[in-house]
Amino acid sequence: VLKRTLQALGPVASAIDIGCGTGRYTLLLAQYAADVQAYDVSAGLVSQAQETAAANGVQNIGFHCAEIERVLPAQTFDLVACMGVTSCVIDDLAFLATIDRLMQLSRPGGHVLLVDTLSTRHGHVSTDASGYVAHYRAATDYRKILERRGLELTSSTVLATAEDRGLINSLSLYRTRPRHQNEAGHRSI
């Protein structure tokens, strides 16, 4: 599904992968973007991703170990990917800050690609037996929040469902709205 989404989007000059993990999806992004920057908070995962890219001869990816708050928007990207990350952002204000950061990293009119597990019922925080904590936001609220922040949904695909738990995992592609100057000369989104 990710490959089909990227094919439909077409080639882009630049992409950033926030929460790249072992680089599994980063390598796929690198087939559609001339330059990819990949970030993860785990040095071990970044090291694995670098090794995988080198073993596959992929040279258009720069890997970095940093939290999203530390990713400086010195550059904007045609495609901002954040797959499987925002469910781990438990606090609602931190979630909004994360979405705002993703938008800051996207060039006006660029795209934000999100993969998340969402609730089909109501949002809730859940902890599994291993201690993994996730905030499964209600799918309808999630989309409304993103739209209010300035993202326009262009496609969405359900990847998996857990009907007994009221959860879906979905891949969604959003387009950022162009930023405008308001009367005071400040950028608004």
Side-chain angles (χ1 to χ4, degrees):
V1 173
L2 176 59
K3 188 173 186 174
R4 281 195 316 260
T5 301
L6 294 172
Q7 286 173 335
L9 184 60
V12 296
S14 62
I16 186 169
D17 188 7
I18 302 295
C20 67
T22 61
R24 176 180 174 198
Y25 299 119
T26 312
L27 293 179
L28 188 56
L29 288 173
Q31 294 176 24
Y32 295 91
D35 176 63
V36 178
Q37 298 302 311
Y39 288 81
D40 201 281
V41 297
S42 168
L45 292 177
V46 169
S47 179
Q48 285 180 336
Q50 288 172 317
E51 290 171 12
T52 302
N56 286 282
V58 178
Q59 298 179 1
N60 62 331
I61 305 172
F63 290 98
H64 314 275
C65 184
E67 294 180 7
I68 189 169
E69 297 85 8
R70 304 271 187 247
V71 178
L72 300 176
Q75 169 184 2
T76 57
F77 299 86
D78 298 312
L79 177 63
V80 176
C82 187
M83 297 179 269
V85 174
T86 64
S87 295
C88 300
V89 180
I90 307 306
D91 180 77
D92 287 329
L93 290 177
F95 170 74
L96 294 175
T98 298
I99 298 304
D100 289 346
R101 174 66 65 169
L102 297 176
M103 290 181 60
Q104 288 171 349
L105 292 167
S106 176
R107 71 167 176 76
H111 290 85
V112 176
L113 177 70
L114 299 169
V115 174
D116 270 307
T117 302
L118 305 168
S119 174
T120 58
R121 300 175 190 147
H122 54 81
H124 63 280
V125 175
S126 180
T127 305
D128 70 12
S130 72
Y132 174 78
V133 181
H135 188 162
Y136 301 120
R137 290 171 174 83
T140 53
D141 294 343
Y142 179 86
R143 289 190 181 103
K144 286 178 187 175
I145 289 168
L146 297 178
E147 288 173 2
R148 287 185 190 133
R149 298 310 260 198
L151 294 171
E152 177 185 345
L153 182 65
T154 60
S155 68
S156 185
T157 304
V158 173
L159 303 173
T161 61
E163 290 181 28
D164 58 322
R165 296 178 59 205
L167 298 175
I168 58 169
N169 187 262
S170 68
L171 180 149
S172 300
L173 183 65
Y174 292 86
R175 187 169 191 275
T176 60
R177 294 188 193 120
R179 296 176 180 103
H180 302 286
Q181 297 283 333
N182 65 21
E183 292 175 17
H186 299 292
R187 286 180 18 169
S188 61
I189 297 176

